[in-house]
Amino acid sequence: MLEWNCQNDKGGLTMSIIGQRIKWLREQKQWSQLQLAEKLGIHNTVLSRIESGEKKGVDFHLISKVADLFEVSTDFLHGRTEELSWQRGSVRETPATFLDVDGLSEDELIEVKRHIEFLKWKALQEKNEDPS
């Protein structure tokens, strides 16, 4: 099992948490930036800018692709948890009481979970932008 252990501020360059974690995950697979960029359907210069922290505001859909590819949660990529693994079936096992998930496929349950994660992320962004 992988264990998250990434040093911040290598060589005086402070990377974003998302960039750090994407780079760390990529290096665990021993993939080049070009290889990962191809898997994500983006240009390798975009990936380089994300990993270095130069690119701010990484698209939620790209974060979801990264999470799916490496089988980690978007919460891990955002730095809200140190937990690497997540259970794909966890939505069905412990759904919120107001969610009726009967009849949904595993893929649909994952999409519901992603949407909830996006709403949490969006609320956090709005909270951080609110000066009051």
Side-chain angles (χ1 to χ4, degrees):
M1 178 170 160
L2 293 176
E3 187 173 317
W4 165 247
N5 182 12
C6 183
Q7 300 297 319
N8 288 336
D9 203 20
K10 292 182 181 177
L13 175 65
T14 303
M15 298 165 30
S16 73
I17 190 72
I18 292 172
Q20 281 181 355
R21 292 187 176 198
I22 291 173
K23 181 178 180 181
W24 182 82
L25 288 164
R26 176 179 61 77
E27 289 174 345
Q28 298 307 301
K29 295 276 191 181
Q30 299 180 341
W31 291 341
S32 68
Q33 282 184 338
L34 184 59
Q35 288 171 312
L36 177 55
E38 287 175 355
K39 292 175 188 303
L40 296 174
I42 62 174
H43 198 276
N44 65 310
T45 57
V46 173
L47 179 58
S48 176
R49 292 178 62 222
I50 291 169
E51 287 187 358
S52 71
E54 181 183 340
K55 179 168 175 41
K56 307 292 183 214
V58 180
D59 180 79
F60 176 76
H61 296 291
L62 180 59
I63 292 172
S64 291
K65 278 181 160 179
V66 171
D68 287 347
L69 183 63
F70 290 107
E71 297 182 338
V72 298
S73 70
T74 57
D75 279 347
F76 173 77
L77 293 173
H78 283 289
R80 292 189 290 246
T81 182
E82 299 301 310
E83 284 290 316
L84 268 171
S85 61
W86 58 291
Q87 302 286 325
R88 287 193 176 259
S90 63
V91 174
R92 184 183 304 279
E93 293 164 13
T94 57
T97 56
F98 61 88
L99 289 178
D100 179 8
V101 296
D102 288 340
L104 295 179
S105 70
E106 289 300 313
D107 287 341
E108 290 165 333
L109 288 171
I110 291 167
E111 188 63 31
V112 168
K113 184 175 188 278
R114 277 196 203 121
H115 188 69
I116 291 169
E117 288 175 348
F118 170 73
L119 293 174
K120 288 171 38 180
W121 172 83
K122 184 177 170 188
L124 180 64
Q125 298 302 310
E126 290 171 356
K127 180 181 175 186
N128 289 338
E129 291 174 2
D130 186 13
S132 56

